[in-house]
Amino acid sequence: MTWLITGGAGYIGAHVARTMMEAGERVVVLDDLSAGVPARLEGTEPWPVLVRGAVSDRRLLDRTFEEHEVTGVLHLAARKQVGESVERPLHYYRENVHGLTVLLEAVVDAGVRRFVFSSSAAVYGTPDVDLVTERTPCVPMNPYGETKLTGEWLVRATGRATGMATACLRYFNVAGAARPELADTGVFNIVPMFFDALTRGEAPLIFGDDYPTPDGTCVRDYIHVQDLAEAHLAAARHLGAEPAASGAAGTSGAPGEARGRDLTVNIGTGRGVSVREMADLVAEITGKREPAARVAPRRAGDPARVVASAELAAKELGWTARHSVRDMLTSAWEGWRLHHPGAGAR
């Protein structure tokens, strides 16, 4: 099989591309390089084919599917900043929903029979449960989450109508790096935000310490990016083992039910870590205990606790997370220091 990975030069996408290739899969990467970095794909043998362009470019998609005989797609390309999605909802719907629609049209016309969709825990919104299962109601709280949920609907509906085997992977909080050069270079998620503040000699911010949690700060489920990449490999092989149907699949049921050709699963660890615990561990690993993290007011819409149940992924994909939070932070700090010379100075 040949897998097209959209967004494959990005932080998560490059980990997925490398993992797929190291496992012997043939890979073609499609990336507009608005956030992707081609150098992330270097060092693999053979180096994956890189096609520069957007998923909304139908002519490019048609040519890519034909020239490289693509038989499956892992779709990771998307805009993903919650705050930006609130400020620019039309942009997010155009990029994440319209772009996916164009891609699916090309996939169907090319006869591609397997599709893995990069979704998000943002589809759940603010769930009031100890463990989020795939049956937990989806009530997204921002345009980003809405576009991911809409994307799931599009993918599942297309699969059911055409017989294409599909999997939607709902990521929880991603951190870490398999290699320093692959580290997240953006400052949008909690770990690089803490590193950035400490590098500038400022106190990392904790938003709220009066939540109904053991230490009053929000609790989240953090997943190492390499574990996430291996989940994509497991999903790809799960779909690859499915017979390629020629007509409508005729499947039904709620998301999260195991139906072979139509799977939606959480990708997390099932273990919650508080923001305060993260801040303390960051201080220990970096050696930067001063200035200490300080508390700021709560951010609107932040739920107290969001932790995944990963039982379905284990059952259906044979996948479980292997890395600890310490692994995530240690590898992320190595990557941060590589990309920010002098950050390790005390």
Side-chain angles (χ1 to χ4, degrees):
M1 293 185 66
T2 298
W3 290 92
L4 176 70
I5 304 179
T6 69
Y11 163 54
I12 296 174
H15 279 87
V16 173
R18 282 174 172 267
T19 299
M20 295 284 289
M21 294 193 69
E22 288 169 359
E25 301 289 343
R26 293 190 298 274
V27 168
V28 177
V29 167
L30 175 70
D31 201 303
D32 66 5
L33 302 184
S34 58
V37 180
R40 287 191 174 119
L41 300 173
E42 296 176 355
T44 54
E45 292 293 340
W47 194 25
V49 174
L50 174 61
V51 178
R52 181 170 183 173
V55 296
S56 57
D57 186 337
R58 179 59 193 270
R59 290 185 178 178
L60 177 63
L61 291 174
D62 291 342
R63 186 166 66 249
T64 301
F65 286 133
E66 181 178 1
E67 290 181 359
H68 299 287
E69 299 180 341
V70 172
T71 52
V73 173
L74 288 86
H75 179 49
L76 285 81
R79 300 296 175 183
K80 62 176 184 177
Q81 301 307 322
V82 169
E84 184 184 47
S85 78
V86 174
E87 297 170 358
R88 305 181 64 193
L90 295 177
H91 178 62
Y92 268 64
Y93 271 86
R94 180 172 60 251
E95 293 290 313
N96 293 0
V97 178
H98 173 69
L100 173 59
T101 302
V102 175
L103 175 61
L104 286 171
E105 289 172 343
V107 162
V108 171
D109 287 349
V112 174
R113 311 307 298 168
R114 296 165 181 92
F115 195 97
V116 179
F117 177 62
S118 164
S119 189
S120 168
V123 301
Y124 294 116
T126 58
D128 186 19
V129 293
D130 285 338
L131 284 179
V132 178
T133 75
E134 291 80 2
R135 288 182 173 274
T136 299
C138 291
V139 189
M141 300 295 292
N142 51 67
Y144 168 67
E146 292 167 0
T147 64
K148 284 299 184 180
L149 184 56
T150 303
E152 289 188 12
W153 294 340
L154 283 170
V155 169
R156 284 194 290 266
T158 302
R160 291 167 181 170
T162 66
M164 179 173 65
T166 67
C168 297
L169 307 185
R170 292 174 175 169
Y171 309 170
F172 280 64
N173 299 64
V174 185
R179 304 177 189 180
E181 62 270 22
L182 299 181
D184 188 1
T185 56
V187 187
F188 304 106
N189 299 318
I190 184 174
V191 173
M193 286 174 67
F194 278 3
F195 291 164
D196 182 56
L198 290 170
T199 298
R200 291 183 285 107
E202 299 178 2
L205 293 180
I206 294 175
F207 293 99
D209 64 351
D210 57 349
Y211 287 91
T213 61
D215 64 16
T217 66
C218 292
V219 173
R220 296 290 183 267
D221 189 332
Y222 297 93
I223 178 77
H224 195 294
V225 67
Q226 183 57 38
D227 285 331
L228 177 60
E230 290 169 7
H232 283 79
L233 174 62
R237 289 190 164 170
H238 173 82
L239 298 187
E242 288 291 324
S246 58
T251 58
S252 61
E257 288 184 347
R259 294 184 297 277
R261 303 187 57 78
D262 179 0
L263 188 66
T264 300
V265 294
N266 292 334
I267 304 298
T269 66
R271 300 184 297 273
V273 181
S274 76
V275 176
R276 174 68 70 184
E277 289 172 324
M278 289 290 284
D280 290 345
L281 191 52
V282 165
E284 176 188 336
I285 288 170
T286 64
K288 295 178 178 290
R289 299 182 181 275
E290 298 293 339
R294 66 181 179 87
V295 177
R298 288 188 183 193
R299 294 182 300 189
D302 273 350
R305 175 185 170 90
V306 183
V307 178
S309 167
E311 291 182 1
L312 190 63
K315 176 183 176 182
E316 295 301 320
L317 302 180
W319 171 91
T320 55
R322 299 182 294 108
H323 295 82
S324 68
V325 174
R326 182 177 290 274
D327 294 335
M328 297 176 213
L329 294 182
T330 300
S331 63
W333 179 236
E334 291 174 357
W336 182 267
R337 292 180 65 184
L338 176 67
H339 294 288
H340 301 81
R346 292 179 170 80

